[in-house]
Amino acid sequence: MGFDFDRMAPSYDEHRQGKGPYYETLLGLLQAQQANRVLELGAGTGNNTLAIHADYPCALHALEPSRAMLQQARQKSKAICCLQGDAIALPYQADAFDFLYGTYMLHHITALDALMGECYRVLNKGSVAFVTVSEDFIQNHPMNAWFPSFAKVDLARFQPIDEVCATMEQAGFGSVQFKHTYSPPRAIDESYVNKVANKFITTYALLPEAEFKAGVAQLKEDVATPGKIKTTIVREATLVWGYKSAK
Ligand SMILES: C[S@@+](CC[C@H](N)C(=O)[O-])C[C@H]1O[C@@H](n2cnc3c(N)ncnc32)[C@H](O)[C@@H]1O
């Protein structure tokens, strides 16, 4: 299903920020490779683009199909080269970059092989890295207790980590590996419920509306009952990366 990111763009940053638990590992990869020409795929409103540029000054490009999401990114910085486009038909020449990355955009891609092929084409030598989530994380997510279709919805669209690795290898990347990263536990409290009620991740937009409304109502009631919710949320993000070597 396609999402209307143009419509979501104005309020996207109210509930989503960059620099998730994967961030230090991603930054470490960039630093280790001393990459100069860097491209972010599916950059959205540029939350990670801006963070990376501040922590690792480089020739940073941001590709994003949604005009309105990209507009938000453009307004934040003139130092980043923003371009509207699709990651499975990259509007760049071969060997144009030393490092490619994308955060939480893989599950919007149906042709993973085409994406990896394009990444391989536009990389000179260097690394490609994607942030996504694992099947285990989806299956064990605490919100399954309030939204019975939560796992079903996300398992249908997030590619298994093994599949991401295999597709990277088929495209020609070597030393493909992944790392699960974790944020500190946070309480399921009013501010978390507010994010859920605002559908801060697209999962909630894909739930049947009646299930979504009932889940939010129950969650609000449980949060308001002292001692009712004993579980916390530990955000997990999986970074998958591989290398293209010199020709
Ligand atoms: C969940 S948002 C993540 C945005 C940003 N990377 C972040 O972490 O905040 C998913 C993004 O992927 C983008 N996207 C969807 N399909 C894409 C495609 N074919 N090529 C590039 N980006 C795509 C969407 O427009 C959206 O901005």
Side-chain angles (χ1 to χ4, degrees):
M1 175 184 174
F3 285 95
D4 188 352
F5 280 101
D6 279 344
R7 193 177 53 77
M8 291 180 208
S11 58
Y12 186 84
D13 288 358
E14 284 172 29
H15 303 289
R16 292 281 290 261
Q17 292 83 37
K19 281 199 169 189
Y22 53 84
Y23 186 76
E24 294 305 323
T25 308
L26 179 62
L27 190 60
L29 286 176
L30 269 165
Q31 288 164 338
Q33 290 180 46
Q34 293 291 296
N36 180 37
R37 300 168 303 166
V38 179
L39 171 64
E40 178 174 350
L41 301 170
T45 59
N47 285 334
N48 280 308
T49 335
L50 270 285
I52 290 285
H53 198 253
D55 290 335
Y56 184 83
C58 59
L60 187 51
H61 294 246
L63 183 92
E64 164 59 41
S66 156
R67 189 194 50 76
M69 294 287 269
L70 201 61
Q71 181 62 17
Q72 301 280 328
R74 280 201 175 104
Q75 278 166 7
K76 291 176 190 170
S77 171
K78 299 262 176 288
I80 289 151
C81 195
C82 296
L83 193 60
Q84 190 175 1
D86 190 324
I88 63 164
L90 288 172
Y92 303 101
Q93 291 182 345
D95 305 335
F97 298 100
D98 310 313
F99 195 100
L100 261 62
Y101 72 95
T103 63
Y104 300 113
M105 55 78 69
L106 273 193
H107 59 292
H108 295 287
I109 302 286
T110 45
L112 205 53
D113 51 349
L115 170 74
M116 295 304 177
E118 277 294 83
C119 291
Y120 196 82
R121 181 182 69 78
V122 303
L123 258 185
N124 178 22
K125 66 180 174 68
S127 195
V128 64
F130 289 103
V131 174
T132 183
V133 296
S134 71
E135 288 175 297
D136 276 358
F137 176 66
I138 293 168
Q139 269 155 352
N140 297 319
H141 197 287
M143 286 301 118
N144 282 299
W146 286 273
F147 303 97
S149 310
F150 186 96
K152 188 177 160 211
V153 161
D154 274 356
L155 290 174
R157 61 194 191 127
F158 280 85
Q159 304 92 345
I161 302 300
D162 286 354
E163 186 185 330
V164 177
C165 292
T167 315
M168 253 186 206
E169 280 166 356
Q170 280 154 17
F173 291 102
S175 302
V176 173
Q177 55 206 282
F178 64 87
K179 183 180 177 185
H180 301 305
T181 61
Y182 305 90
S183 65
R186 65 157 294 172
I188 299 172
D189 54 12
E190 261 184 56
S191 80
Y192 191 82
V193 179
N194 186 37
K195 284 159 81 82
V196 173
N198 280 287
K199 302 187 179 178
F200 80 111
I201 51 174
T202 47
T203 313
Y204 296 109
L206 292 173
L207 294 173
E209 192 58 17
E211 177 183 329
F212 173 72
K213 283 188 173 146
V216 169
Q218 187 63 52
L219 198 51
K220 282 184 176 165
E221 192 181 314
D222 292 348
V223 162
T225 310
K228 178 88 189 270
I229 300 180
K230 299 200 170 35
T231 183
T232 52
I233 298 266
V234 175
R235 187 173 160 201
E236 180 192 301
T238 303
L239 190 69
V240 186
W241 71 95
Y243 297 88
K244 177 176 176 181
S245 11
K247 286 173 194 152

